[in-house]
Amino acid sequence: MVRGRLELGRVENKASRQISFSKRRNGLLKKAHELSKQCDADVGLIIFSPKGSLYEFSTSNCMEKIIDRYRQSSDAERVNKVQQDRPKKLSADSGTGFEAPKSPQRSMDDSDFPKKNLDELNQMEKELETALAMTMTRKTLLMMEMIDGLQEKVCITVSLRDNYVQQLRILFISSHRII
């Protein structure tokens, strides 16, 4: 027997909607688990129910590691995309008669700025957007590195604190034994 094509749309009945959510959530979690087992892939899945309950699945038992890896990957992809989208500098040899400025700042300092045509202004806008995207990406990467460094310092500090607490307990116990 072949199932009919199900029309996707919001389930209006509240009870049916909850049942549908539970079944689909369990199916999605099962598929994520199967994908991780069969393909040896790192999988992270986060689901929020309509009521705000959190359901998550991760193969490495640490969702934060997967999220950090995703952030690093998406930042690197953004940098690559920005570099690929960077406008090519035109030279006088290319026959266009227009040479793209070396930096957006130089273009805006030109005294003939009001005389620029639409193509030149569009070129300047693209260069500014590229420079801004690269700056934001670099800033994000630096901030993430700083956060990672601070998290390492927190771990070291917590470890030192635990060691000091353990030493104090030993001293306390040994001082009570003497009395």
Side-chain angles (χ1 to χ4, degrees):
M1 177 187 243
V2 177
R3 290 185 183 178
R5 182 100 177 139
L6 179 65
E7 183 69 31
L8 286 181
R10 185 173 189 269
V11 178
E12 295 301 323
N13 184 326
K14 191 174 182 178
S16 297
R17 186 170 52 242
Q18 180 59 39
I19 291 169
S20 180
F21 172 79
S22 295
K23 287 181 178 180
R24 287 181 174 269
R25 179 199 64 219
N26 290 337
L28 189 56
L29 290 168
K30 181 179 177 186
K31 290 290 184 186
H33 179 72
E34 290 171 357
L35 178 65
S36 70
K37 289 294 183 191
Q38 291 178 346
C39 302
D40 199 27
D42 284 337
V43 178
L45 175 65
I46 301 172
I47 303 171
F48 287 100
S49 73
K51 294 181 180 178
S53 299
L54 170 67
Y55 302 93
E56 65 179 82
F57 169 81
S58 64
T59 54
S60 63
N61 293 332
C62 187
M63 183 65 80
E64 283 131 16
K65 288 181 183 176
I66 291 176
I67 291 172
D68 287 342
R69 190 170 162 196
Y70 166 76
R71 285 182 182 145
Q72 290 172 352
S73 173
S74 63
D75 284 341
E77 286 176 15
R78 264 189 259 131
V79 168
N80 289 338
K81 183 176 184 326
V82 166
Q83 289 175 346
Q84 289 172 356
D85 290 346
R86 178 180 291 159
K88 303 286 184 223
K89 302 243 182 223
L90 300 174
S91 66
D93 299 70
S94 66
T96 62
F98 172 70
E99 183 175 338
K102 291 184 180 174
S103 71
Q105 184 63 40
R106 186 179 138 210
S107 299
M108 288 196 259
D109 289 342
D110 289 344
S111 60
D112 62 348
F113 181 75
K115 297 176 186 174
K116 294 206 180 279
N117 66 29
L118 186 59
D119 290 337
E120 292 170 328
L121 292 172
N122 283 336
Q123 181 70 21
M124 285 175 53
E125 181 181 20
K126 285 180 184 177
E127 289 178 8
L128 286 169
E129 287 173 351
T130 300
L132 178 62
M134 290 176 64
T135 302
M136 290 173 62
T137 300
R138 179 67 180 144
K139 179 181 172 186
T140 301
L141 290 172
L142 288 173
M143 289 173 62
M144 288 176 58
E145 288 173 6
M146 288 174 60
I147 289 171
D148 288 343
L150 291 172
Q151 286 175 338
E152 287 177 21
K153 287 180 181 179
V154 166
C155 289
I156 291 169
T157 305
V158 168
S159 178
L160 287 172
R161 184 204 63 195
D162 291 344
N163 287 338
Y164 290 141
V165 167
Q166 184 66 25
Q167 289 175 0
L168 286 172
R169 284 183 184 151
I170 292 170
L171 287 172
F172 182 75
I173 291 171
S174 63
S175 68
H176 280 358
R177 286 185 186 164
I178 295 172
I179 299 175

